[in-house]
Amino acid sequence: MGIDYYGVLQIKRNSSDLDIKKAYRNLALGFNKVKSGAIFSLIAEAYEVLVNPKTRAIFDQYGEEGLKRGVPGPNEFLHAYRFHGDPMKTYSDFFGTTSPFADLLDYYQNPREIYDLPLEGRGFRVKQPAIYHNLYLTLHEIFFGGVKKMKIQRLEYTSPDQSKTKVREKILSIPIKPGIPAGTEIVMPEEGDQNPTQLSADVIFVVHDRPHEHFMRETNDLVTQAQISLQESLLGTMITVCTIDHRTIRVPITDIVHPGYEKVVPGEGMPIVDEPGERGDLIIRFNVQFPPYLPKSSKAMLEKAFYLAKVAGGRDQHELINKMILADKIMRVCPDEQLPPF
């Protein structure tokens, strides 16, 4: 009959992995003075067999003889187990050292200095991690600046000795500089929960732009879209813009509006934080609406106008087109509406 490894470790056959480790630890410490003895080696062998699920399963089914002889498995032959013969290796792997008391002895002989202790252990109050909140501002709030009121809830002291706290609401006044960039972090120092063992955390608000009906901010510039017809894109037009600060401006478009064309109106954008009194630009981008249908006569007139513009080398192209369309309109006047001859 082979060795009963469970009996060696003095545990039951249904013991858990933790039970096996506890048993080995107690026995290894008890026999640590005879580390080279046969009993110490047998304890190490029993532990290594039972702590490994594969070798333990083979031992449970075939005993020590089957474990050390090898047995057929479901897919291949399971080779024989052989103990490596070095109980100190098992001991060292388990305890991390050849002496489980080494760390205690080292601490006793070389105690740590007081400055190695954590700050809390030396009476210092460590600050709590910062608390972040998103602060969404309209473009009007960003343009004019001011003070934004925000309500928060936090723990506050309710006793003079600062031993008790209660959840209370607090209104924070957040300063908004005109033109404050998106992504700016506004720090409200130590407005977090009050705690007798820690310093209150900073509350940090991160600025974000709220979507606007007509404008979008790009750094210090304001961008808007304008809808114009094909005729206006070729012959020019006047764009009316209601600005972010409630003024109405009229922007003449005299250039041909081509794909990618932008009209820049200097100084009508957002205030620049680091340059008081200065502002970014207003950028107008265009969406040209093409007519769904053109009669042949109109196409012929446009074709002739483009031909003349090409012959002229592209100079005064919009004026030529304008003259051709105007002439076409004159020729289409009803005879009854024509002025009588002099």
Side-chain angles (χ1 to χ4, degrees):
M1 183 177 180
I3 299 173
D4 180 8
Y5 292 126
Y6 291 101
V8 172
L9 296 184
Q10 301 175 17
I11 57 176
K12 298 179 180 180
R13 297 186 70 86
N14 62 349
S15 296
S16 66
D17 186 66
L18 181 61
D19 294 332
I20 295 170
K21 292 179 179 179
K22 286 181 178 179
Y24 173 74
R25 182 182 185 279
N26 294 333
L27 290 173
L29 291 175
F31 286 90
N32 81 83
K33 292 184 179 181
V34 289
K35 293 174 182 175
S36 59
I39 297 178
F40 188 72
S41 179
L42 184 59
I43 292 171
E45 181 179 344
Y47 168 75
E48 291 212 348
V49 169
L50 297 182
V51 83
N52 186 316
K54 182 178 179 180
T55 54
R56 182 179 180 181
I58 296 174
F59 174 76
D60 288 344
Q61 187 171 357
Y62 299 100
E64 184 204 7
E65 295 87 350
L67 179 68
K68 294 185 176 180
R69 184 176 62 246
V71 296
N75 300 317
E76 58 181 353
F77 185 80
L78 302 177
H79 295 286
Y81 165 79
R82 291 289 181 270
F83 180 57
H84 51 70
D86 185 4
M88 282 306 300
K89 179 180 182 303
T90 305
Y91 191 90
S92 178
D93 291 344
F94 185 88
F95 289 103
T97 175
T98 56
S99 171
F101 307 106
D103 293 341
L104 293 175
L105 292 173
D106 178 69
Y107 186 86
Y108 178 76
Q109 295 172 359
N110 304 289
R112 291 190 297 173
E113 300 292 341
I114 189 169
Y115 52 74
D116 285 334
L117 294 174
L119 292 176
E120 296 91 336
R122 288 183 274 147
F124 287 90
R125 298 171 67 196
V126 178
K127 194 168 188 175
Q128 302 176 54
I131 302 170
Y132 288 84
H133 294 284
N134 291 323
L135 179 62
Y136 290 93
L137 302 175
T138 65
L139 291 183
H140 291 88
E141 291 173 324
I142 296 171
F143 183 90
F144 293 105
V147 177
K148 183 79 170 179
K149 302 288 187 179
M150 294 292 292
K151 182 188 294 185
I152 65 169
Q153 291 185 336
R154 69 169 192 167
L155 292 173
E156 294 184 353
Y157 295 126
T158 58
S159 59
D161 60 355
Q162 298 184 350
S163 60
K164 296 180 181 180
T165 57
K166 183 179 180 180
V167 176
R168 290 178 176 171
E169 291 184 346
K170 184 174 182 179
I171 304 296
L172 299 181
S173 297
I174 306 170
I176 306 299
K177 294 182 179 180
I180 185 171
T184 300
E185 296 184 354
I186 304 174
V187 181
M188 309 299 290
E190 299 186 5
E191 290 292 352
D193 293 338
Q194 295 181 337
N195 189 317
T197 61
Q198 293 179 306
L199 294 176
S200 299
D202 294 338
V203 176
I204 301 177
F205 292 93
V206 183
V207 174
H208 297 275
D209 293 356
R210 285 191 182 277
H212 191 272
E213 184 179 3
H214 301 295
F215 296 104
M216 179 179 64
R217 180 162 66 148
E218 292 184 357
T219 59
N220 297 314
D221 299 330
L222 285 175
V223 179
T224 188
Q225 295 279 343
Q227 303 277 349
I228 62 174
S229 66
L230 176 60
Q231 178 180 342
E232 291 172 328
S233 70
L234 295 174
L235 305 181
T237 185
M238 182 74 71
I239 301 297
T240 301
V241 179
C242 182
T243 64
I244 201 73
D245 54 343
H246 311 298
R247 293 179 296 111
T248 299
I249 61 174
R250 290 174 175 80
V251 183
I253 308 299
T254 57
D255 300 325
I256 292 178
V257 178
H258 53 78
Y261 174 82
E262 295 180 342
K263 180 65 175 179
V264 178
V265 184
E268 290 293 345
M270 299 295 284
I272 301 176
V273 175
D274 299 328
E275 301 178 23
E278 297 296 324
R279 292 173 57 179
D281 300 331
L282 171 65
I283 300 175
I284 304 175
R285 294 173 182 164
F286 296 89
N287 183 15
V288 179
Q289 299 292 325
F290 283 73
Y293 171 77
L294 280 178
K296 289 184 178 181
S297 57
S298 297
K299 290 182 180 180
M301 292 294 295
L302 288 173
E303 184 177 2
K304 186 175 182 180
F306 282 123
Y307 172 75
L308 293 176
K310 183 178 179 181
V311 171
R315 293 173 296 177
D316 301 326
Q317 181 177 357
H318 63 281
E319 293 183 6
L320 289 171
I321 296 175
N322 192 18
K323 291 178 180 178
M324 294 296 295
I325 294 176
L326 182 59
D328 179 65
K329 289 183 177 179
I330 293 175
M331 296 299 295
R332 291 171 180 270
V333 175
C334 178
D336 296 336
E337 296 178 358
Q338 293 181 359
L339 294 175
F342 292 102

